[in-house]
Amino acid sequence: MQQPPSSGSEMSGGMGGSQMQGQQELSGSVVALRRDKVFIKDENGAVVAMGVSHSTQIDGKPIEKGRDISSHLRREIKEGDQVRTKFNVEKTTENMASSIEKMKQ
């Protein structure tokens, strides 16, 4: 029994963030890094774009406020790395990572 999507009522929770029910998890291999995005290929072969911001933690460490996200990503994560990320869907279509952890291979 699926219900049709409601018209905006899901967005009524405000801009809380940390208490949102929508946090999800994705594991897979990194296939590309582009500016402030990590592209992760999941176990089904789908490639998912994951946005990264200064509030994203990589291996438990935040990205320093003044540091360039793109260069930090390239230093910490390489194509082919196996990662597990926790993320929220923002603006209904954009995946934003709250954390990215490299998994032991």
Side-chain angles (χ1 to χ4, degrees), residues 1 3 5 13-14 23 49 56 64 76 79 98 101:
M1 292 275 183
Q3 295 180 354
Q23 186 156 57
T56 303
E64 294 174 24
E76 297 293 324
E79 290 182 18
S98 57
E101 291 178 35

Side-chain angles (χ1 to χ4, degrees), residues 1-103:
M1 292 275 183
Q2 288 187 334
Q3 295 180 354
S6 58
S7 59
S9 64
E10 296 147 9
M11 302 290 287
S12 63
M15 299 293 284
S18 62
Q19 296 298 324
M20 291 180 71
Q21 291 178 300
Q23 186 156 57
Q24 300 176 44
E25 195 170 292
L26 174 72
S27 296
S29 62
V30 175
V31 293
L33 300 168
R34 300 283 186 273
R35 292 188 185 180
D36 61 349
K37 294 205 183 319
V38 177
F39 292 83
I40 301 169
K41 186 176 193 177
D42 72 9
E43 61 195 27
N44 298 319
V47 176
V48 179
M50 196 65 58
V52 176
S53 69
H54 283 99
S55 61
T56 303
Q57 291 199 354
I58 298 176
D59 286 334
K61 297 175 283 194
I63 301 171
E64 294 174 24
K65 292 291 181 200
R67 179 158 276 164
D68 178 58
I69 293 173
S70 178
S71 61
H72 186 80
L73 278 176
R74 282 194 300 271
R75 189 170 32 261
E76 297 293 324
I77 298 174
K78 305 287 185 246
E79 290 182 18
D81 282 351
Q82 294 294 316
V83 296
R84 177 185 305 123
T85 181
K86 292 183 181 175
F87 66 97
N88 292 303
V89 178
E90 297 183 359
K91 301 177 191 165
T92 69
T93 61
E94 189 172 344
N95 299 323
M96 288 301 296
S98 57
S99 68
I100 300 173
E101 291 178 35
K102 287 186 278 186
M103 296 166 37

